[in-house]
Amino acid sequence: MTKNMTIVTTSSASIPPEMARELGIVIIPNTLKLGRKAWKEGEEIDLSSFYMMMKTASDLPQIEPPDTTAFQNTFTDLSRKRGADGIVAILPSGGSFSKSLMDSARAAQNFVRDTPVEILESGGSMLTGFPALAAAKAAAAGADFQAVSQTAQQVIASSRLYLVIDSFDYLCRNYKIGKAARLIGNFLKIKPILKLEKGETSVVGKPTGASASAPTVYSKLQELFDTELRGN
């Protein structure tokens, strides 16, 4: 008998809605705030629209993770109404945002008695999305609870994410850097490249200009392929 394994994550995973529907991944939305207005990410507003609003807003954007009730309702619905034989929740880790998120998920886990629930910590954005996709594909292929969890853990352990900082403005407004650093960075068009790996963030390059960022990222990916992937 085919097992009904369900993957749960949040909108932080950056998984396209159509892909989530196709693979049966359950997405619990974050709440995006701007001033006095709030929206459920992916349900009431998409990120592209939210980013456009940020450009002209005087308020700092805020993001709130799903609370215990959101996780409890999701886990209970999957267990009692949808007949899930196992639930693997893959969630971002690192920082106060993720701590609140994990605390909520673990609290909700205690309310599910009839279905095993495993909560795994991954990184942000596609560092959560990649293992969620891999786990969902394993579940669709008939893998059991343990195999689905192991698939996700293997992808978590081997994933890295490179990102480029396009503007220093929000880092300054959020007191992450000083005004002088913002002015210098924006004036010189410095585009820092960050690497996210196992919950840690490091700077791997500081090219000037957007056109110089892509070649730097490509070279880092090639280096990763040559030293780690090809070596295996």
Side-chain angles (χ1 to χ4, degrees):
M1 181 178 178
T2 302
K3 296 292 184 180
N4 180 14
M5 300 298 155
T6 304
I7 309 305
V8 174
T9 188
T10 72
S11 50
S12 295
S14 301
I15 298 175
E18 61 276 8
M19 189 174 294
R21 287 192 294 269
E22 180 182 346
L23 292 172
I25 299 172
V26 177
I27 306 290
I28 306 178
N30 295 320
T31 299
L32 304 178
K33 292 186 173 183
L34 202 57
R36 296 182 179 181
K37 295 183 178 180
W39 304 267
K40 294 296 183 182
E41 181 183 353
E43 294 182 358
E44 299 172 338
I45 194 171
D46 58 63
L47 278 180
S48 296
S49 300
F50 188 70
Y51 290 152
M52 291 298 294
M53 294 170 62
M54 284 169 52
K55 291 183 177 181
T56 57
S58 58
D59 298 294
L60 276 173
Q62 296 179 332
I63 180 170
E64 291 184 357
D67 58 16
T68 300
T69 300
F71 279 106
Q72 182 181 342
N73 290 342
T74 299
F75 292 163
T76 301
D77 179 70
L78 290 172
S79 175
R80 297 179 182 177
K81 297 181 181 179
R82 303 194 198 182
D85 296 308
I87 301 169
V88 178
I90 305 169
L91 308 174
S93 63
S96 58
F97 173 90
S98 296
K99 183 180 185 305
S100 174
L101 179 72
M102 297 301 295
D103 288 346
S104 296
R106 287 173 177 142
Q109 185 181 22
N110 296 326
F111 290 92
V112 184
R113 304 295 183 185
D114 302 325
T115 304
V117 178
E118 181 160 12
I119 298 173
L120 302 177
E121 295 185 64
S122 186
S125 188
M126 287 309 296
L127 287 181
T128 301
F130 290 139
L133 291 171
K137 291 177 181 179
D144 61 17
F145 182 72
Q146 183 177 4
V148 169
S149 175
Q150 288 178 344
T151 297
Q153 292 179 57
Q154 289 170 356
V155 177
I156 290 171
S158 62
S159 295
R160 296 123 174 93
L161 179 67
Y162 291 91
L163 58 91
V164 178
I165 302 297
D166 185 58
S167 171
F168 289 89
D169 291 343
Y170 289 103
L171 291 174
C172 181
R173 290 172 64 184
N174 204 29
Y175 303 107
K176 300 299 184 183
I177 63 171
K179 292 183 178 179
R182 183 200 67 175
L183 290 172
I184 293 172
N186 286 343
F187 178 75
L188 297 177
K189 298 182 179 180
I190 297 173
K191 306 292 183 181
I193 298 174
L194 307 182
K195 180 174 75 170
L196 278 64
E197 180 180 5
K198 298 178 181 178
E200 300 293 331
T201 303
S202 59
V203 179
V204 297
K206 298 179 182 178
T208 56
S211 60
S213 301
T216 304
V217 172
Y218 293 152
S219 68
K220 294 296 179 182
L221 293 176
Q222 186 63 53
E223 179 182 322
L224 172 66
F225 177 80
D226 290 339
T227 60
E228 298 188 30
L229 303 182
R230 183 178 291 174
N232 293 333

